């Protein structure tokens, strides 16, 4: 009995002990979950949601983006905050036109804000697929009218496109080409950009001036201007141009980078046709051509770029040769030589001779070194297959100089001078160009003879 009693005594506590262990494990599991949640949100776990959002109002956008990296739980809570009316008001300032305020004169404050916002959304959506990241971003930005192609009534006085551009640049920095393709397609779908581009490239130049202006501003400020590395700029410019045939590419390139009126910002289509222009009007086009010719632009061959330059020189009609040559000079040695060499290879000696003469004329007018023009001609001469072809080309150069001087002299002698007496001035520049051009050839010949 003692033994029985002892046995019963040992059984009951053992059973109680098992029940106690089970409850202890449940309490322990519950405690673990609570501590995990606490570790995910830290001390913010103890705050009501309204107080948490009030605390966020005291943090900068960049600090909030850092906070979003703490945990998935924190990131989710911040994502919800961004979508609330108070978060939307705080994070999406829309004073894109208050440029008269001293702090906003250059727009630096609001641009920096949208850079930080891009970093915040980049971090908050880090674990989502690209499609979902873009959908969420669109949800956040959908109500900002100045981010839309036709959303702002005063696009020239608005920083909306620039803010959108720096936001996208930070958001997509480091994304691979496939993801960036999706971004471009998503933007095209939202803005209906392809349909609008089709309208301007198929219409008479200048007939859709307002649309041309908006496409120019959108492409430059949103897609092109904010990249540090040329490879990124080349990628986005390629996305804009490549869907179109080369004639449309040239027209679109002129819309985006061509000269504009200082009065209303609209594209000036007659600038290259009516008279000689300055470097400022051509710099944007030259920089774009160099960008496409660069090795970073993998989707463009040298022939593609030269064909584009050739097509550009007749937009909307044939340019003055002086403007065409000035563009080649600004585009750099490689493009200039490749363009001229293509003429030599195709047996177009007369056209090439005119290019050389205007090369000398532009060097004289714009104070470039004349020996550069001579060396360029010397390099092109090496492209000709036979001495006969080369000699024929050199004869064409001299004939072109003589014919142009006689034509200009006839214009001066006829007395039909305009107000600024440009015909006499052109003759003066051309005669000096010929003299300096031949002087450099003589120097080159004398150096060669003394070396031998």
């Amino acid at each position: 009995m003692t033994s029985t009693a002892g046995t019963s005594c040992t059984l009951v506590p053992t059973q109680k002990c098992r029940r106690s262990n089970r409850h202890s494990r449940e309490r322990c599991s519950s405690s673990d979950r609570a501590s995990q949640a606490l570790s995910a949100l830290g001390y913010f776990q103890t705050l009501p949601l309204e107080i948490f959002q009030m605390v966020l109002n005291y943090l900068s956008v960049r600090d909030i983006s850092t906070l979003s990296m703490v945990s998935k739980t924190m990131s989710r809570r911040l994502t919800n905050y961004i979508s609330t009316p108070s978060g939307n008001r705080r994070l999406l300032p829309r004073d894109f036109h208050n440029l008269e305020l001293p702090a906003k004169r250059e727009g630096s404050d609001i641009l920096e804000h949208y850079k930080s916002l891009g970093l915040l959304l980049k971090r908050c959506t880090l674990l989502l697929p690209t499609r979902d990241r873009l959908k969420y971003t669109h949800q956040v930005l959908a109500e900002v009218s100045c981010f839309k192609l036709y959303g702002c009534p005063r696009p020239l006085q608005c920083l909306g496109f620039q803010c959108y551009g720096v936001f996208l640049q930070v958001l997509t920095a480091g994304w691979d080409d496939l993801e960036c393709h999706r971004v471009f397609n998503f933007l095209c779908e939202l803005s209906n950009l392809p349909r609008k581009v089709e309208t301007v490239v198929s219409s008479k130049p200048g007939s859709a001036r307002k649309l041309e202006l908006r496409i120019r501003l959108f492409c430059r400020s949103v897609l092109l201007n904010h990249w540090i590395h040329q490879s990124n700029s080349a990628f986005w410019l390629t996305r804009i141009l490549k869907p179109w045939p080369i004639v449309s590419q040239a027209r679109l390139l002129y819309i985006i980078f061509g000269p504009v009126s200082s009065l209303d910002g609209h594209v000036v289509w007659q600038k290259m046709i009516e008279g000689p222009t300055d470097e400022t009007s051509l710099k944007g086009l030259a920089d774009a051509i160099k960008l496409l010719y660069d090795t970073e632009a993998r989707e463009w061959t040298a022939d593609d770029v030269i064909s584009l330059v050739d097509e550009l020189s007749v937009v909307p009609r044939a340019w003055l040769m002086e403007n065409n040559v000035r563009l080649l000079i600004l585009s750099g040695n490689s493009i200039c030589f490749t363009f001229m060499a293509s003429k030599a290879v195709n047996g177009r000696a007369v056209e090439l001779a005119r290019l050389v003469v205007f090369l000398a004329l532009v060097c004289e007018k714009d104070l470039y070194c004349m020996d550069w023009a001579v060396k360029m001609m010397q390099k092109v001469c090496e492209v000709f297959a036979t001495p006969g072809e080369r000699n024929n080309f050199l004869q064409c150069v001299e004939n072109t100089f003589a014919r142009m001087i006689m034509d200009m002299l006839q214009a001066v002698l006829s007395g039909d001078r305009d107000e600024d007496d440009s015909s006499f001035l052109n003759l003066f520049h051309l005669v000096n160009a010929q003299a300096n051009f031949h002087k450099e050839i003589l120097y080159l010949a004398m150096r060669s003879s003394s070396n031998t």
Side-chain angles (χ1 to χ4, degrees):
M1 194 171 169
T2 305
S3 173
T4 308
T7 304
S8 64
C9 257
T10 56
L11 288 174
V12 174
T14 303
Q15 292 169 353
K16 285 184 178 179
C17 184
R18 285 173 185 161
R19 285 196 297 270
S20 175
N21 284 343
R22 187 180 71 247
H23 291 310
S24 174
R25 284 195 301 272
E26 289 173 357
R27 284 196 300 272
C28 183
S29 176
S30 173
S31 173
D32 286 345
R33 285 195 298 270
S35 72
Q36 285 172 3
L38 183 60
S39 66
L41 287 173
Y43 291 108
F44 289 112
Q45 175 69 27
T46 61
L47 296 177
L49 185 60
E50 295 80 2
I51 303 298
F52 173 74
Q53 293 182 358
M54 289 175 63
V55 171
L56 294 180
N57 289 333
Y58 288 92
L59 298 178
S60 69
V61 181
R62 194 166 286 271
D63 289 338
I64 296 174
S65 73
T66 304
L67 187 62
S68 70
M69 300 295 286
V70 169
S71 65
K72 278 177 64 175
T73 308
M74 178 63 77
S75 179
R76 194 177 305 116
R77 183 168 284 198
L78 290 173
T79 302
N80 293 334
Y81 165 71
I82 294 169
S83 302
T84 62
S86 60
N88 198 274
R89 283 194 302 271
R90 159 83 196 288
L91 297 174
L92 293 172
R94 302 175 195 191
D95 48 343
F96 302 118
H97 307 92
N98 292 340
L99 306 184
E100 68 279 359
L101 299 176
K104 303 275 180 76
R105 187 165 294 139
E106 299 299 329
S108 58
D109 287 355
I110 196 165
L111 287 173
E112 286 300 319
H113 175 90
Y114 275 94
K115 279 185 184 178
S116 300
L117 183 63
L119 185 61
L120 171 58
L121 266 66
K122 185 187 189 80
R123 289 174 170 176
C124 280
T125 61
L126 194 61
L127 301 177
L128 296 177
T130 302
R131 190 180 301 276
D132 293 340
R133 296 178 88 172
L134 294 174
K135 284 182 180 178
Y136 175 73
T137 301
H138 173 60
Q139 268 184 333
V140 172
L141 304 181
E143 299 304 316
V144 184
S145 61
C146 289
F147 288 172
K148 299 172 183 176
L149 192 61
Y150 257 103
C152 180
R154 295 182 294 154
L156 285 172
Q157 290 79 41
C158 180
L159 285 173
F161 283 164
Q162 293 183 49
C163 290
Y164 195 17
V166 297
F167 171 88
L168 282 175
Q169 186 267 326
V170 173
L171 178 71
T172 60
W175 290 18
D176 62 33
D177 285 357
L178 180 60
E179 291 174 311
C180 290
H181 269 283
R182 288 175 179 160
V183 174
F184 182 75
N185 292 337
F186 189 78
L187 290 174
C188 286
E189 187 179 340
L190 290 179
S191 61
N192 202 13
L193 184 63
R195 179 66 62 85
K196 291 177 170 58
V197 168
E198 184 179 13
T199 298
V200 296
V201 297
S202 59
S203 303
K204 183 180 177 182
S207 61
R209 296 168 72 239
K210 291 183 179 179
L211 183 55
E212 289 170 358
L213 172 63
R214 288 180 182 273
I215 288 174
R216 179 190 177 95
L217 293 175
F218 185 86
C219 289
R220 290 179 67 138
S221 297
V222 176
L223 300 175
L224 297 172
N225 283 357
H226 306 290
W227 296 102
I228 298 171
H229 301 295
Q230 284 195 334
S231 58
N232 292 321
S233 300
F235 172 86
W236 290 102
L237 183 56
T238 300
R239 301 283 71 75
I240 295 169
L241 296 178
K242 272 295 184 180
W244 306 99
I246 191 165
V247 175
S248 300
Q249 286 177 11
R251 180 83 69 89
L252 186 54
L253 198 68
Y254 194 96
I255 289 172
I256 298 173
F257 295 105
V260 293
S261 167
S262 58
L263 299 176
D264 56 16
H266 291 114
V267 178
V268 182
W269 288 99
Q270 306 302 317
K271 184 83 169 178
M272 307 301 174
I273 302 165
E274 294 177 341
T277 189
D278 55 5
E279 292 183 2
T280 306
S281 300
L282 290 163
K283 188 177 185 307
L285 290 169
D287 289 343
I289 291 164
K290 283 191 285 189
L291 192 66
L292 299 178
Y293 192 81
D294 191 81
T295 53
E296 296 288 350
R298 297 183 296 273
E299 297 175 58
W300 297 84
T301 66
D303 286 343
D304 290 337
V305 179
I306 296 307
S307 298
L308 183 59
V309 173
D310 217 5
E311 194 64 48
L312 184 63
S313 66
V314 293
V315 173
R317 296 192 307 279
W319 293 9
L320 293 182
M321 183 63 81
E322 183 176 327
N323 293 334
N324 196 10
V325 167
R326 191 170 275 113
L327 176 65
L328 288 176
I329 292 173
L330 292 174
S331 298
N333 289 358
S334 296
I335 293 172
C336 187
F337 168 73
T338 306
F339 186 85
M340 295 175 72
S342 69
K343 304 284 187 188
V345 169
N346 294 314
R348 295 156 75 175
V350 175
E351 289 181 39
L352 182 57
R354 277 178 56 80
L355 277 173
V356 170
V357 171
F358 275 97
L359 208 65
L361 179 61
V362 172
C363 285
E364 178 67 26
K365 280 188 171 184
D366 295 356
L367 304 180
Y368 295 125
C369 294
M370 190 62 75
D371 68 332
W372 175 84
V374 171
K375 288 175 182 176
M376 183 62 70
M377 185 187 74
Q378 187 181 26
K379 192 175 177 183
V380 170
C381 281
E382 297 171 2
V383 177
F384 288 102
T386 64
E389 291 178 346
R390 183 175 64 247
N391 292 340
N392 176 59
F393 160 65
L394 294 174
Q395 184 64 56
C396 287
V397 172
E398 295 307 316
N399 291 343
T400 303
F401 264 121
R403 187 165 51 251
M404 286 181 59
I405 289 175
M406 292 304 295
D407 289 344
M408 289 185 181
L409 182 60
Q410 186 176 2
V412 170
L413 294 177
S414 68
D416 186 17
R417 301 180 182 180
D418 43 26
E419 292 181 2
D420 56 359
D421 208 12
S422 62
S423 57
F424 180 80
L425 192 59
N426 285 335
L427 176 60
F428 172 78
H429 282 307
L430 185 58
V431 170
N432 275 333
Q434 186 187 39
N436 289 324
F437 186 76
H438 287 111
K439 178 187 71 176
E440 293 298 334
I441 291 176
L442 289 174
Y443 286 162
L444 188 65
M446 294 302 292
R447 280 196 297 268
S448 298
S449 62
S450 62
N451 290 336
T452 56

